[in-house]
Structure formats: structure tokens, C-alpha cells
Amino acid sequence: MIARCARALGLGGIALALVATSMPAAAQDNSDARIRKLESEVRALQRKVFPGADGRFFEPEISAPATTTQPATTTAPSTTAVTDILARLDALENQLQRLTAQYEVGSNALRLLEERIEKLEAGNAAPAVEAPAQAGTSAPATRPAAAQPAAARPDPARLAAVQAIAKPQTDDPGDDEYSYGFRLWDAGFFPEAQQQLTLFVEKYPEHPRATFGRNLLGRAYLDDGKPSEAAPWFLRNYQADKNAARAGDSLLFLAESMIALDDTQRACIALSEFAETYPALATGRLQGRYATARSKVTCG
């Protein structure tokens, strides 16, 4: 579009030059027609440079300088016609000069805008470790990226010991997953047991060993000194099925978790519920743990 406008401006200038240098005095009769044609072409050029349809620009008009009423003179009509032609040609030349100047201003503004966009794009493509320069200050030197802490490497001896624990391979994959978690817990590898038992209870929530898995997962956290992570698993296992094989165990271990968290009120509630709901366990298999837990709190 800009190239077409430039070519149009150049052609308009050439046309004016031809009109000014080749108009004989005898051709005054058809000069008005030629000038009107030239004005029409300049207006077409104006519409290209000033696209008034979008409302952002106004379309300038070419008008000859206002003529003042002259007193009657004896000047020959031919002199008046030539003066009028010259005035209209001056108006055309002035208008083309303004169009040319406005075109140059627009071209310069476009060039500056393109340069600014290129700088912005170059700045966005710069490495993140380079801070942009602030106005009025010099750009800071490029700083190397902060070194990331190296990931802690597992203890080779511990890794070897964990790998030495074999995972069962039977016809019951669910039981194999639980048994492997039990072996890790029994060997004292609590974080590894937590990961393995979580996998089991999420993958086999309806397995007959699920009550054992949830209870043992709570114990893996409790034995690892994390009673706040252990308590939800104990409560979940107890509430899932109060008649399940490890529901009573989870209720007692829930009380132990509350004691570890210094929550005496909830510890006493759990102990009371355990003694009332599972009296056979309180006086049998879990009697020792129950007595130890009762000795650690004073319940009303």
C-alpha cells in the first residue's frame, strides 16, 4: 500500500511538471478541463493517503485561493484566465507537497514502530537470567543462573538392603503387593513401606487384605514419627468396617496417635471406644498396648 502511494505521488509530480512546462497560451480553452482532470487524479491520491472511511483521518479538499473582488480593470480576459490557471496549479503543487510530507512522516513513524517491535521481541527472546535495563541506569551484567541443589542421593547401603527384600510372586498380585509392604515395614524401611502400602490400598481397595493394608500403612507413618499422617489412615480403616480384622487395632493405634499429638481428649475417647467395642482385644491380644496407652493419659 505504501509503495503504491509513493508511486502515485511520483506520477502526480511528473504530471504537474508536464502541465506547467507544456501549456501554450493558445490552449487556454481546454486548460480548465485538463486541470479538473488533474484535480480528480489528486483527489484519488488523497483517498489513498487519507482513508476517510475508517473515521481516523479527514479527507482534505483542494481549493483555489479565495479570489477577492477586483475593481473593474481594462485587463484582457486572456490575462485573467492565465492568472487563474497559475493559481490553481500552485494549489495543486502545494497540496502534493503536503501529501508528500505527510507520507514521509507516516513512513518514518512506521519505521520507528517496526524498530521498537524488533527491540521488544529481541528483549523477550533474551535469557531469563538477564534483567532488563531500567530507564536512566546502565544494564546490569549478565548473572549466571542460580545453582540448583543437587538431589540427595540414596545411601548405597540402604538401597542395597531394600533391593535385597524380595517381592513375592504368587497367583494373587494384590496379596503380593501387601506382603511386600509388610516386609519393608518389618525391616524398618518405613518410607519405602509407606510408598508400597499406599500403592496397595489404592489399587486394591476391596481386597481381603485391605483392612490389613490400611492399618499397616498407619503404623508405617506412626513408627516413622508422623502421627498426624498416621491418624487419618487408622480412622479410615476403623470406619470402613468396624468388624474387619484390623478395625480394633486401628482404633487403639488412633488413640496412640492422639497421645503423640498431645490431644488427650480425643485419645481418651478412642481408648474408651476401644475398651467398649473390642473388650476381647483389650483383655487379650492387645492388652499390653492398651494398658501402656492408658498409663500415658488421665481420662475422666
Side-chain angles (χ1 to χ4, degrees), residues 99-113:
L99 288 173
T100 301
Q102 291 170 352
Y103 166 73
E104 292 175 351
V105 171
S107 298
N108 186 55
L110 179 60
R111 180 180 59 80
L112 294 176
L113 179 60

Side-chain angles (χ1 to χ4, degrees), residues 109-120:
L110 179 60
R111 180 180 59 80
L112 294 176
L113 179 60
E114 290 174 346
E115 292 177 355
R116 184 177 180 183
I117 291 175
E118 290 176 356
K119 290 180 180 180
L120 289 174

Side-chain angles (χ1 to χ4, degrees), residues 285-298:
R285 180 170 60 87
L286 297 178
Q287 181 180 10
R289 296 193 73 98
Y290 172 65
T292 301
R294 286 298 304 265
S295 66
K296 293 180 179 179
V297 293
T298 303

Side-chain angles (χ1 to χ4, degrees), residues 242-294:
K242 295 182 180 181
N243 295 318
R246 288 292 182 267
D249 297 64
S250 290
L251 185 56
L252 180 57
F253 287 122
L254 176 61
E256 293 186 10
S257 299
M258 294 297 101
I259 293 173
L261 292 170
D262 294 325
D263 191 337
T264 302
Q265 180 179 2
R266 287 184 173 83
C268 290
I269 292 173
L271 289 171
S272 176
E273 180 74 13
F274 172 75
E276 182 176 339
T277 307
Y278 306 103
L281 291 177
T283 58
R285 180 170 60 87
L286 297 178
Q287 181 180 10
R289 296 193 73 98
Y290 172 65
T292 301
R294 286 298 304 265

Side-chain angles (χ1 to χ4, degrees), residues 146-221:
Q148 298 296 326
R153 294 184 178 181
D155 181 9
R158 181 184 181 91
L159 182 60
V162 170
Q163 292 176 344
I165 298 176
K167 183 177 181 179
Q169 300 291 331
T170 69
D171 294 335
D172 188 342
D175 191 75
D176 293 342
E177 296 291 350
Y178 167 76
S179 297
Y180 183 50
F182 176 86
R183 292 180 181 184
L184 291 169
W185 168 80
D186 190 50
F189 297 120
F190 301 130
E192 292 82 356
Q194 294 160 16
Q195 182 178 2
Q196 175 61 30
L197 292 168
T198 299
L199 182 151
F200 166 71
V201 298
E202 290 181 352
K203 190 173 182 180
Y204 302 97
E206 303 301 326
H207 194 276
R209 290 280 193 177
T211 182
F212 292 86
R214 290 188 293 264
N215 181 72
L216 191 59
L217 178 55
R219 293 195 64 179
Y221 279 114

Side-chain angles (χ1 to χ4, degrees), residues 23-73:
M23 183 180 293
Q28 293 177 4
D29 292 341
N30 63 352
S31 297
D32 287 348
R34 295 177 65 185
I35 290 175
R36 284 194 295 273
K37 182 176 180 298
L38 183 59
E39 290 176 336
S40 176
E41 293 175 349
V42 171
R43 286 194 178 94
L45 177 61
Q46 289 174 334
R47 284 191 292 273
K48 292 181 179 180
V49 178
F50 300 96
D54 62 2
R56 293 182 297 172
F57 304 96
F58 64 90
E59 184 175 348
E61 293 292 339
I62 297 175
S63 59
T67 57
T68 58
T69 304
Q70 300 292 334
T73 63

